Amino acid sequence: MVHEMTIRSKQKNMLLHSEMLMNMPEGVILIKADDDSIIYTNPSFNRMFGYESGELQGKHISIVNAPTDVSPEDMAEQIQSQIKQSGTWRGEILHVRKDGTQFWCEAVVSAFSHNTVWISIHTDITERKQLLSDLSLHSEIMRNMSEGVVLVSILTGSIVYCNPKFEQIFGYSDGELLGKDIVIVHAPTEKTPEEEADQIRESLKKYKSWQGEFYAIKKNGTCFWSYVTLSTFSHAKYGNVWLGVHTDVTESKRAEERFRGFFDFSKGLLGIASLDGYFILTNPSMCHTLGYTDEELKSKPFYEFAHPDDLGKTITVYEKVIHGATVIDFEHRFRCKNGTYRNIVWTVVPNLRENIVYTTAYDITELKKTGRKLRESNISLNETIEKMGTLYKQQEFISMLGIRALKGAELQTLMDRAALEVSEALDVGYSRVLQLLPDSDKLLMVAGVGWKEGLVGTSTVSRDINSQSWFLLRSNEPLIITDLPSETRFDIQPLLLEHGIISSICVLIYYHNKPWGILGAFCDKHRDFTENDIHFCQSVANILSYAITRKEEEQIIRRNLDEKSILLKEIHHRVKNNLQIISAMVMMQSEQISDKAARDAFEDTVNRIKAMALVHEEIYGTDVLSQIDFHDYTEHLIAGFMTFHNNGFKLHYKINIDNVHLAIDTALPCALILNELLSNAFKYAFIGKTEGEIVVSLFKEDDSFILEVKDNGAGFPADFDTRQTKSLGMVIIRSLTKQILGTVKFKNEGGACSRVKFKGK
């Protein structure tokens, strides 16, 4: 009985272990240690390598190993030796899928069953290695190019370097900030500058980076908001430093505050939700109307607040929205926090590019209650409905115009739309948008509805001291006129008299808290404009104010981007010049060396520096700063070698590269590889000959690039083995090829032929 229970327990454990292997997210493979054949692969391993279940069983483990400098047999010996020493081997392996694509895995290999079976657990790390490869010096420079740059010593907290833009932002002269503690630019808040700086330091120590907004102070005492990205950096001159990139975001925060003012003070129920139905942002009007806090409204999908009888149609409508449909005037009952329900009418506009939806809603509960009361008391509700309908129509116009502004509609389009909507929502015959002309006493009609043809865009209005415009600008309040012909407070505009205007309402449009222009509505009959009409016009003016500010800030951003492009190009130019200076210095040093081997090593170094300088020269000479034309680069590189080896030898060369442009993080390693291959050809291929030929090719093959250098010289020695060759040039070739995730092969084909295959950009 005990024996049977033991057997059952072992069987149960085996089933449990088998189930665990089947459901592991990592790829698991069991391998016989004596012949390296595959015993078992779990589903995750099969999916990772593109094989069907059982397809790998019995196959040699090398079927999934990609060719590298280390043979599969050597790799197996290394793993077996490590397992014997510590019981486990951990490392990175380049694998190959069934379809031939290569990828990197992190593998953990252990032995069990008396060291007869290996178990290997694999995790795909291709994306992680690609990310590490991309973090080169040049990408670091390009990513950190911004307005103000500062280096702060981690040891002392003092400023060791800051660029001129940083000094300009903070109002200091050249070199004045060097040696100062970084707290000198921190403005006092509820925390002292020292406390604020210490908090940032702690975050940098823990996470190696920090980004966010902080309140800064200039030398003259002016405080402003700055957005900063900070990271740790080891500098050859300054040691371990914090690298900070600063951007003055004062204007952006002001624009954000104006938008928040429009959003927060709107009477409509405004919100932004994700595609799964959860609110991301709600305004106070929505919280107040429904009785929830902002966090409570965000706690679950908004359709779950619907009345049970309305839930089905609510979900149906929202499914249309997440597939790109705009929904207007959808009504359902929404549950309030106190358990009651209110009748809400929704307009929902999707933005699939950002994976969000804009929502605006209005509570019509009181409207429905009023309707019921009027019907019960036999009172005509036509007038009441008309008024409520007008109010609803106005609010809908505001919400739709606001959504257009948030989506970045062109300013002129937005002003034309605003004039049309004001005319329709207020049921007046005329509307217009006037813009204050700089350095002038006039306003230009930039948008309008109802006026005689040709006036919009050309007609101007005076703002002298007796004008209606001057009166409005001086009072800084909405201006309502019920009987224009009898008006005595200011001179009447001739344009209004020509069109028979009797009543009007005008409000100011602001830009940076200063008047930018005037929004007006006009009708040719007596009209008593209401407080709701004033709120409507002012809301439209506020949206235009937001759009005007946004357009100006976009223009500032475009100018800044142009300036940064020029700066980046200048950096490439200066790097090229500095490399040429270094090259000249090394060459001068080599001339003082009598030992030929040492002098040859110096000359090789000069050629490598020139190859890098040539990359930067190619970038400097093009309008595209992120890539180079490899054909031009190759031609210039060969020309340099011919000049350097001008000893009467006649070289014929061909370049088979058709319109190939490589990104800089791929081009630089390729350029250095090509330099080494050409250097070997010029040195060794044509010894004792008076002429020869070199062919350089670069072309696409499937999803890879092939770089090939061939010559018709002596070829490689019969015993040539790259793994046994210890020359610096060959070490550089192998290292750089591995950096771009490539492979290199050497063979004799009417001379030496070197072929590098890599994944390029």
Side-chain angles (χ1 to χ4, degrees):
M1 177 65 72
V2 173
H3 178 65
E4 291 180 357
M5 292 178 65
T6 302
I7 292 175
R8 290 193 191 99
S9 176
K10 290 183 177 180
Q11 291 175 340
K12 184 176 181 181
N13 287 336
M14 290 175 65
L15 288 173
L16 179 60
H17 292 161
S18 176
E19 184 69 21
M20 290 174 62
L21 289 176
M22 290 285 290
N23 293 311
M24 283 181 67
E26 297 85 357
V28 180
I29 182 172
L30 301 183
I31 308 162
K32 288 180 65 177
D34 57 354
D35 62 1
D36 295 334
S37 63
I38 298 172
I39 304 172
Y40 166 80
T41 57
N42 74 341
S44 293
F45 189 92
N46 293 332
R47 286 192 298 271
M48 189 181 298
F49 286 80
Y51 288 91
E52 300 293 332
S53 177
E55 189 176 355
L56 285 169
Q57 192 166 344
K59 299 290 195 300
H60 193 273
I61 186 61
S62 63
I63 194 173
V64 296
N65 289 345
T68 61
D69 292 343
V70 181
S71 68
E73 293 77 12
D74 292 344
M75 178 60 71
E77 289 181 8
Q78 294 178 13
I79 295 174
Q80 192 170 23
S81 174
Q82 181 67 30
I83 291 174
K84 288 180 180 179
Q85 293 179 11
S86 62
T88 302
W89 180 88
R90 180 188 297 271
E92 297 178 356
I93 303 178
L94 183 63
H95 283 302
V96 61
R97 295 187 176 92
K98 184 179 180 180
D99 62 7
T101 59
Q102 297 182 358
F103 67 105
W104 283 94
C105 273
E106 183 178 67
V108 179
V109 186
S110 303
F112 71 100
S113 188
H114 304 293
N115 207 28
T116 62
V117 177
W118 292 354
I119 180 171
S120 182
I121 301 175
H122 293 248
T123 303
D124 189 341
I125 59 170
T126 305
E127 291 186 3
R128 187 177 73 192
K129 289 188 72 65
Q130 182 63 44
L131 178 61
L132 292 174
S133 176
D134 290 342
L135 293 177
S136 62
L137 176 61
H138 290 283
S139 61
E140 182 75 11
I141 292 174
M142 287 186 284
R143 182 172 62 252
N144 287 313
M145 284 303 300
S146 188
E147 292 189 8
V149 179
V150 62
L151 297 182
V152 180
S153 169
I154 295 178
L155 182 63
T156 65
S158 60
I159 298 172
V160 295
Y161 167 81
C162 55
N163 69 345
K165 191 64 179 180
F166 185 88
E167 294 169 334
Q168 178 186 340
I169 290 174
F170 288 89
Y172 288 89
S173 57
D174 183 22
E176 190 176 358
L177 281 169
L178 296 182
K180 299 289 194 300
D181 195 289
I182 189 62
V183 298
I184 195 174
V185 297
H186 286 243
T189 58
E190 66 275 5
K191 300 176 183 177
T192 65
E194 290 77 11
E195 291 172 337
E196 185 76 26
D198 287 342
Q199 184 175 344
I200 295 175
R201 287 191 185 102
E202 289 301 317
S203 179
L204 282 168
K205 289 178 182 178
K206 186 175 182 181
Y207 302 107
K208 306 301 182 184
S209 64
W210 182 88
Q211 60 182 9
E213 297 177 352
F214 88 100
Y215 204 41
I217 186 170
K218 298 183 180 183
K219 181 180 179 181
N220 63 8
T222 303
C223 296
F224 66 101
W225 283 100
S226 177
Y227 184 82
V228 186
T229 59
L230 296 172
S231 60
T232 57
F233 182 64
S234 181
H235 194 280
K237 179 179 180 180
Y238 305 119
N240 292 329
V241 296
W242 290 313
L243 171 64
V245 182
H246 291 246
T247 304
D248 187 343
V249 294
T250 305
E251 289 302 321
S252 297
K253 289 188 71 68
R254 288 176 181 170
E256 181 181 345
E257 289 171 0
R258 285 190 288 272
F259 164 71
R260 289 300 311 206
F262 158 73
F263 188 82
D264 290 344
F265 293 109
S266 173
K267 292 185 178 181
L269 283 60
L270 305 182
I272 300 176
S274 58
L275 293 183
D276 58 6
Y278 285 85
F279 278 115
I280 301 171
L281 192 63
T282 62
N283 72 337
S285 182
M286 181 180 290
C287 297
H288 174 75
T289 300
L290 303 175
Y292 294 101
T293 65
D294 179 66
E295 292 301 321
E296 289 170 337
L297 285 171
K298 295 176 181 176
S299 64
K300 54 187 175 182
F302 77 86
Y303 48 77
E304 292 189 10
F305 291 94
H307 190 283
D309 294 341
D310 296 340
L311 180 59
K313 69 176 183 179
T314 303
I315 293 176
T316 299
V317 167
Y318 197 67
E319 287 176 347
K320 295 179 181 178
V321 171
I322 63 178
H323 286 91
T326 296
V327 174
I328 299 174
D329 294 347
F330 170 69
E331 180 184 345
H332 75 165
R333 288 164 289 178
F334 198 100
R335 185 178 68 255
C336 299
K337 187 173 182 179
N338 61 9
T340 62
Y341 287 89
R342 302 194 72 82
N343 296 88
I344 306 297
V345 175
W346 296 86
T347 294
V348 186
V349 179
N351 184 345
L352 299 185
R353 185 177 60 184
E354 301 291 339
N355 292 324
I356 59 175
V357 295
Y358 303 107
T359 68
T360 177
Y362 301 97
D363 181 5
I364 62 170
T365 306
E366 297 305 320
L367 175 62
K368 290 204 165 191
K369 289 180 179 179
T370 302
R372 285 194 296 269
K373 289 179 180 179
L374 289 174
R375 284 194 300 271
E376 291 170 359
S377 61
N378 200 23
I379 299 175
S380 172
L381 60 114
N382 289 335
E383 184 179 351
T384 303
I385 292 176
E386 183 180 355
K387 289 181 179 179
M388 295 300 292
T390 299
L391 178 61
Y392 171 68
K393 185 178 180 181
Q394 291 176 359
Q395 295 295 334
E396 183 180 6
F397 277 148
I398 292 172
S399 64
M400 296 303 294
L401 189 67
I403 289 172
R404 286 190 177 91
L406 289 173
K407 285 187 172 182
E410 288 292 331
L411 178 58
Q412 186 60 51
T413 302
L414 207 63
M415 291 191 297
D416 292 338
R417 187 70 187 180
L420 179 62
E421 290 185 355
V422 167
S423 176
E424 292 180 356
L426 295 180
D427 192 22
V428 296
Y430 305 88
S431 64
R432 69 184 182 188
V433 177
L434 299 177
Q435 179 184 359
L436 285 164
L437 296 176
D439 302 323
S440 173
D441 62 348
K442 296 184 182 299
L443 296 94
L444 174 66
M445 188 192 304
V446 293
V449 171
W451 310 99
K452 293 179 180 179
E453 186 176 353
L455 291 179
V456 175
T458 61
S459 177
T460 58
V461 174
S462 173
R463 56 165 173 156
D464 60 43
I465 195 169
N466 296 317
S467 67
Q468 177 181 338
S469 302
W470 173 263
F471 184 87
L472 176 60
L473 292 168
R474 183 181 59 185
S475 66
N476 205 28
E477 296 288 342
L479 176 61
I480 294 178
I481 301 173
T482 56
D483 186 12
L484 186 64
S486 62
E487 185 60 57
T488 59
R489 292 175 292 177
F490 41 76
D491 294 339
I492 301 173
Q493 298 171 11
L495 178 66
L496 301 182
L497 294 177
E498 291 174 9
H499 288 77
I501 301 303
I502 301 298
S503 302
S504 67
I505 178 172
C506 296
V507 297
L508 291 175
I509 302 170
Y510 289 94
Y511 170 66
H512 287 277
N513 300 320
K514 295 181 181 179
W516 178 91
I518 299 172
L519 171 66
F522 309 84
C523 61
D524 54 7
K525 58 185 178 181
H526 288 281
R527 168 78 174 268
D528 292 323
F529 290 101
T530 66
E531 284 294 321
N532 287 331
D533 296 333
I534 296 175
H535 290 313
F536 169 69
C537 290
Q538 193 62 66
S539 296
V540 173
N542 290 345
I543 294 173
L544 292 179
S545 176
Y546 164 76
I548 293 164
T549 303
R550 176 172 177 166
K551 179 182 179 182
E552 178 65 23
E553 290 172 351
E554 287 176 350
Q555 292 174 344
I556 293 173
I557 290 172
R558 289 192 185 96
R559 288 196 297 270
N560 288 341
L561 288 175
D562 291 340
E563 292 174 1
K564 291 173 185 176
S565 178
I566 294 171
L567 285 173
L568 188 56
K569 197 168 185 179
E570 179 63 19
I571 284 176
H572 283 294
H573 181 55
R574 294 190 181 185
V575 169
K576 183 262 295 184
N577 288 344
N578 289 338
L579 288 173
Q580 289 178 339
I581 293 172
I582 294 171
S583 173
M585 293 172 64
V586 173
M587 180 60 76
M588 291 171 61
Q589 185 69 34
S590 69
E591 292 174 354
Q592 301 178 15
I593 297 175
S594 58
D595 183 77
K596 185 178 185 305
R599 188 167 62 252
D600 289 344
F602 268 79
E603 290 175 354
D604 288 342
T605 301
V606 169
N607 287 334
R608 290 167 186 138
I609 295 173
K610 287 181 177 179
M612 289 188 289
L614 187 55
V615 172
H616 290 281
E617 183 175 358
E618 289 291 327
I619 294 174
Y620 177 73
T622 182
D623 293 332
V624 182
L625 299 180
S626 59
Q627 59 185 18
I628 69 169
D629 185 330
F630 213 73
H631 184 284
D632 290 348
Y633 174 81
T634 302
E635 193 158 16
H636 292 156
L637 188 61
I638 292 176
F641 272 106
M642 292 175 66
T643 300
F644 188 77
H645 294 275
N646 186 15
N647 53 5
F649 178 76
K650 185 176 182 181
L651 176 70
H652 306 279
Y653 68 90
K654 295 180 182 177
I655 301 175
N656 299 325
I657 303 175
D658 295 330
N659 195 27
V660 175
H661 293 78
L662 294 178
I664 188 170
D665 52 354
T666 303
L668 189 55
C670 284
L672 294 175
I673 292 172
L674 178 60
N675 179 76
E676 295 301 324
L677 296 176
L678 289 174
S679 178
N680 288 339
F682 272 92
K683 283 183 180 179
Y684 308 117
F686 309 112
I687 296 175
K689 294 186 177 183
T690 59
E691 64 178 305
E693 181 181 64
I694 293 177
V695 180
V696 179
S697 303
L698 177 62
F699 54 90
K700 290 264 313 204
E701 186 176 90
D702 297 328
D703 60 345
S704 299
F705 282 98
I706 305 296
L707 174 63
E708 188 176 77
V709 178
K710 299 172 63 176
D711 62 62
N712 62 349
F716 297 111
D719 59 348
F720 180 71
D721 186 352
T722 59
R723 290 175 295 180
Q724 302 300 322
T725 302
K726 302 301 183 181
S727 71
L728 178 59
M730 195 60 63
V731 171
I732 290 174
I733 291 173
R734 288 200 300 266
S735 175
L736 292 174
T737 301
K738 190 173 183 179
Q739 179 180 326
I740 57 177
L741 302 180
T743 57
V744 59
K745 293 183 179 180
F746 303 95
K747 61 181 179 179
N748 287 324
E749 192 177 283
C753 177
S754 305
R755 186 181 176 94
V756 180
K757 183 177 182 180
F758 62 95
K759 303 283 187 181
K761 295 186 289 182

